[in-house]
Amino acid sequence: MDIKTLLLALALGNLSLCAALFFFEAGARQAGSGQPARVHATWARAKQLQALAWLLLYLRGVLPDVITIPFANAVLFAGFALDAAALWQQAGRRVWRSHLAPALGVAVCLYGGAWLLQAPAGGRIAIAALATGFFFVAGAAALGRGWRHGTPLRRYLVVLMLALTIAVLGRGLLSLLPASPAPLLVQAIGVGALYLMMLSNAFGYLLLAREHEQGELARLEVVDPLTDVPNRRGFYAALTPWLALARRPGQPTALVILNLDQFKRINDNYGHSAGDQVLKAMVDVCKKQLRDSDQMGRLGGAEFAILLPRTGLEDATLVAERIRNAVAAQPVKAEKAVINLTASLGVTTIRADDSTVSLFKRADEALQAAKQAGRNRVMEAEVIKP
């Protein structure tokens, strides 16, 4: 396969990837996943720019050199930079303005200056290889974040991208030699590496997007999407090992059940959006009163559970009182009003013979006693005397 054919394949390949992303997003919207994410839009623009650049390079000799050499390479650098930007966005960071855009400006200026000064072709190739290698390494760095906890797919893509980067840089360095060995072979290796990079980047990106969606679905099975704390299933899973530990001698573990008072009236009077805002604000208030080792979960509606490891009944009651006071002291500003909150809490500790049912039954009885006593108070579960 000659160089012209590879250039055309790169142009058509990137166009087909744009089409693949379009249908990928269409399927996601049809499945109810919402509008395309910004990261997908960045990646699509990267592929569009790369397709245009490869097409211009393919048309060298047909169009003016100013279009097929400096302009085409500038567009290609922009496409590679946006590739890296998309991977960093997927990793949760935006480095376009701080790092990638300035690097793109330097690369375009260096290559354009070399062309205007009529520098040897080998020098321009070396500049292009260095710029391309930088953006490839930037993308690999985004994928390599959290290497220890990375998935096999992510690790494979990092290694592959670095290997192909070495091939591209090698082509650039060989171009600086006075008599480059087998120049057509060296050029073919460089362009071939770019072709493989396009394929690995594209399919890797789509597979990573699918992997991220699957991970998010798995997370939502155990996390409440509104308050971002464990749901009932997730909280029960966190509670299980502490039930087992309660059968051994050692420090006790406490459970607190919290219920916002008159929450139904908030929904009825101010609307469900205000109710959601109240729940999120209340969770934030509670978290500020808890240790990193403590665990809060949503059981349903306005009822929450708090697990306090290595905490006795007396200390757990003090924590519950702090939470009750903090909730009462932090009104929530909704669209139509300032909503004052109070909460009732029931406190107990895990016993050696407890099951999940008996533990929550005892804590719920303490919560109901707090409500019957007038709400906005903390009640301890009945202690069994030896």
Side-chain angles (χ1 to χ4, degrees):
M1 183 181 291
D2 60 19
I3 300 302
K4 295 283 285 186
T5 305
L6 277 173
L7 293 175
L8 182 60
L10 282 164
L12 296 178
N14 279 284
L15 285 175
S16 68
L17 290 172
C18 292
L21 182 62
F22 172 80
F23 289 109
F24 176 82
E25 285 298 333
R29 286 195 298 270
Q30 192 174 28
S33 297
Q35 296 296 320
R38 179 177 302 220
V39 59
H40 296 333
T42 302
W43 190 78
R45 285 195 296 271
K47 295 303 155 191
Q48 292 164 5
L49 289 174
Q50 291 173 42
L52 173 61
W54 291 123
L55 184 61
L56 292 176
L57 290 168
Y58 172 76
L59 294 174
R60 186 174 180 181
V62 178
L63 298 177
D65 285 351
V66 70
I67 294 177
T68 60
I69 300 178
F71 179 73
N73 277 276
V75 173
L76 188 61
F77 297 159
F80 291 152
L82 286 174
D83 258 345
L87 291 172
W88 275 104
Q89 285 179 357
Q90 195 176 57
R93 291 187 59 187
R94 297 179 184 177
V95 298
W96 174 256
R97 291 184 179 180
S98 58
H99 295 86
L100 295 177
L104 174 61
V106 171
V108 171
C109 290
L110 286 176
Y111 191 91
W115 185 80
L116 289 173
L117 296 173
Q118 298 182 346
R124 297 200 306 270
I125 292 172
I127 293 172
L130 287 172
T132 302
F134 173 83
F135 294 125
F136 285 174
V137 170
L143 287 174
R145 293 189 72 204
W147 174 267
R148 288 186 177 181
H149 305 290
T151 62
L153 172 62
R154 188 175 292 270
R155 292 182 179 183
Y156 164 76
L157 290 174
V158 171
V159 173
L160 181 61
M161 288 179 70
L162 292 177
L164 294 175
T165 300
I166 292 173
V168 171
L169 292 175
R171 185 221 171 182
L173 293 175
L174 288 173
S175 67
L176 294 175
L177 296 177
S180 176
L184 291 179
L185 177 61
V186 171
Q187 187 179 19
I189 291 174
V191 177
L194 292 172
Y195 185 79
L196 290 175
M197 181 67 79
M198 176 196 71
L199 292 178
S200 63
N201 178 281
F203 290 110
Y205 181 87
L206 292 174
L207 288 171
L208 285 172
R210 179 61 65 187
E211 185 178 75
H212 175 75
E213 288 183 1
Q214 291 174 345
E216 185 64 15
L217 288 174
R219 189 184 76 87
L220 291 177
E221 289 183 359
V222 294
V223 174
D224 176 53
L226 175 65
T227 58
D228 200 35
V229 298
N231 57 20
R232 180 182 291 268
R233 179 178 179 180
F235 187 82
Y236 279 18
L239 176 64
T240 299
W242 294 103
L243 283 169
L245 286 174
R247 298 183 177 93
R248 306 175 185 176
Q251 292 180 316
T253 293
L255 175 72
V256 178
I257 293 186
L258 176 152
N259 191 276
L260 279 178
D261 297 327
Q262 308 294 344
F263 181 70
K264 186 177 182 301
R265 290 186 181 180
I266 294 174
N267 279 332
D268 293 342
N269 294 336
Y270 304 105
H272 288 280
S273 61
D276 290 346
Q277 189 176 348
V278 163
L279 290 177
K280 290 189 285 188
M282 187 274 297
V283 169
D284 290 340
V285 168
C286 292
K287 284 182 176 180
K288 293 177 182 178
Q289 306 301 321
L290 300 176
R291 304 166 298 184
D292 292 339
S293 59
D294 299 334
Q295 181 73 69
M296 184 174 187
R298 185 181 182 189
L299 302 179
E303 189 165 276
F304 294 80
I306 301 170
L307 180 67
L308 302 174
R310 301 180 179 85
T311 305
L313 185 63
E314 184 178 349
D315 289 336
T317 301
L318 292 176
V319 173
E321 282 288 355
R322 286 206 314 267
I323 291 173
R324 185 190 65 79
N325 288 325
V327 170
Q330 189 69 46
V332 176
K333 294 181 180 179
E335 293 182 3
K336 299 179 181 179
V338 176
I339 304 173
N340 293 308
L341 306 177
T342 61
S344 301
L345 301 95
V347 184
T348 189
T349 53
I350 302 177
R351 298 171 185 169
D353 59 345
D354 263 332
S355 64
T356 303
V357 174
S358 64
L359 174 65
F360 275 89
K361 181 176 183 295
R362 192 166 61 252
D364 189 64
E365 288 173 351
L367 172 64
Q368 297 306 318
K371 290 183 176 182
Q372 292 172 5
R375 298 188 176 90
N376 188 25
R377 64 190 63 219
V378 175
M379 296 291 287
E380 297 178 357
E382 183 180 352
V383 178
I384 298 178
K385 296 182 180 179

